[in-house]
């Protein structure tokens, strides 16, 4: 990708973004992702849109797994060229601005986006793909109810017919939101936490579950047929081919995150066989799943912030000899 021809205002904003971020790191106030973008936007009100222009962009959103899936997707897509990404989890617009400035000219960008900012970021970046992972209760002191977020996503996709969506067909809330899109690739990524999706978001009737299948008893919503699905230690692609997935990250949930990453990369034209080895190179993501050694013991750190995340963490910890 050739260096984009930014306006003088955008170039000045980019320079000040880098300087503000560097100053923040030098003074120990953080990695500078947020303050850098904030300074840049003060100079260029259209900073995010201008930085996004000319790139093929994927946005990753959901309650849990955004940071990990974004990192895996950037690795899988990296076989086609350099990828700009907010790998440390600054997932609001100022963080996106800093990530794009830091990366420079890249043909691709994979951005983790907070669920509540997704519509705004999609509008400004003109991303061609959105991946929707899951929806569950989370930090209700600041976050909206699950059904409210799903409704906002649905409205967003109704007004963006050109956007391709990759969505988790095992989550009724995500399925309802994604069904408004014109183009959807379904991934059977699983849903262990069920307590936020017993009611159909379309009509309010009960959701029935039988094994992997689920449906609204009134027939208003049914689990779609997946094109990608997790199976054992690997992923089955849309042609029915099984690919064994080797990860340094624990748990079935990360196999699901890998399936979404492969689906996104494949949409952009990345051969799955080339992307698979790149997934195995991903280790700790912004401290998530990090290992430390203390007294000759290897300790795995797991991050959980809500009931759905705790359920996945307990699953990962089942084989651990000791749990703290």
């Amino acid at each position: 990708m050739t260096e984009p021809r930014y306006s003088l205002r955008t170039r000045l904003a980019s320079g000040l973004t880098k300087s503000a971020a560097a100053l923040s790191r030098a003074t120990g106030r953080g990695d500078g992702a947020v303050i850098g973008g904030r300074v840049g936007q003060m100079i260029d009100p259209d900073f995010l849109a201008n930085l996004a222009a000319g790139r093929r962009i994927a946005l990753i959103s959901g309650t849990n797994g955004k940071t990990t899936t974004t990192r895996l997707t950037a690795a899988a897509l990296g076989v086609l060229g350099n990828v700009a990404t907010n790998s440390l989890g600054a997932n609001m617009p100022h963080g996106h601005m800093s990530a794009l400035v830091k990366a420079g000219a890249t043909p691709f960008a994979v951005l983790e986006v907070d669920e509540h900012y997704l519509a705004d970021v999609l509008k400004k970046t003109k991303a061609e793909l959105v991946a929707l992972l899951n929806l569950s209760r989370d930090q209700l002191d600041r976050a909206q109810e699950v059904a409210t977020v799903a409704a906002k996503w649905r409205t967003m996709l109704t007004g963006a017919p050109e956007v391709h969506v990759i969505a988790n067909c095992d989550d009724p809330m995500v399925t309802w939101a994604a069904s408004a899109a014109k183009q959807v690739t379904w991934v059977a990524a699983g849903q262990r936490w069920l307590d936020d999706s017993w009611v159909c978001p379309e009509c309010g009737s009960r959701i029935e579950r039988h094994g992997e299948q689920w449906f609204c008893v009134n027939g208003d919503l049914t689990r779609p047929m997946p094109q990608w699905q997790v199976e054992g230690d690997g992923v089955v692609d849309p042609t029915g081919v099984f690919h064994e997935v080797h990860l340094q990250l624990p748990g079935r949930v990360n196999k699901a995150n890998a399936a979404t990453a492969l689906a996104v990369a494949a949409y952009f034209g990345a051969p799955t066989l080339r992307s698979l080895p790149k997934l195995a190179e991903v280790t700790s993501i912004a401290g998530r799943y990090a290992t430390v050694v203390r007294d000759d013991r290897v300790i795995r750190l797991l991050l959980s912030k809500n009931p759905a995340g705790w359920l996945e963490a307990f699953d990962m910890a089942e084989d651990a000899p000791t749990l703290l």
Side-chain angles (χ1 to χ4, degrees), residues 135 145-154 168-180 186 191 194 196-209 214-223:
L135 283 173
E145 287 288 351
V146 173
T148 303
V149 178
K152 287 187 172 182
W153 281 3
R154 186 174 173 87
N168 180 7
C169 68
D170 290 322
D171 187 324
M173 288 292 180
V174 168
T175 297
W176 179 67
S179 295
W186 298 105
Q191 186 190 35
L194 306 178
D196 291 303
S197 56
W198 285 112
V199 175
C200 174
E202 179 65 29
C203 68
S205 298
R206 187 176 74 257
I207 294 286
E208 283 278 355
R209 288 184 168 85
W214 60 262
F215 55 89
C216 161
V217 295
N218 274 354
D220 289 316
L221 196 65
T222 302
R223 180 184 188 260

Side-chain angles (χ1 to χ4, degrees), residues 118-138:
L118 185 58
D120 180 55
V121 174
L122 176 60
K123 181 179 179 180
K124 289 178 178 175
T125 61
K126 294 182 169 60
E128 63 184 276
L129 182 145
V130 173
L132 305 177
L133 305 179
N134 49 67
L135 283 173
S136 67
R137 65 189 70 182
D138 181 57

Side-chain angles (χ1 to χ4, degrees), residues 278-292:
K278 295 297 181 182
L279 302 182
E281 297 174 7
V282 177
T283 54
S284 172
I285 299 97
R288 295 160 176 82
Y289 311 112
T291 56
V292 295

Side-chain angles (χ1 to χ4, degrees), residues 69-81:
T69 304
T70 297
R71 180 67 187 85
L72 290 169
T73 303
L77 187 55
V79 301
L80 297 182

Side-chain angles (χ1 to χ4, degrees), residues 179-253:
S179 295
K182 299 294 184 185
Q183 312 165 67
V184 186
T185 297
W186 298 105
V187 179
Q191 186 190 35
R192 288 172 59 84
W193 175 261
L194 306 178
D195 283 9
D196 291 303
S197 56
W198 285 112
V199 175
C200 174
E202 179 65 29
C203 68
S205 298
R206 187 176 74 257
I207 294 286
E208 283 278 355
R209 288 184 168 85
H210 299 285
E212 293 182 345
Q213 303 304 314
W214 60 262
F215 55 89
C216 161
V217 295
N218 274 354
D220 289 316
L221 196 65
T222 302
R223 180 184 188 260
M225 181 69 70
Q227 284 85 40
W228 293 80
Q229 54 189 327
V230 180
E231 187 175 289
D233 289 329
V235 170
V236 179
D237 71 19
T239 68
V241 174
F242 174 83
H243 302 277
E244 193 166 353
V245 175
H246 298 281
L247 298 176
Q248 296 193 56
L249 307 176
R252 183 197 181 280
V253 67

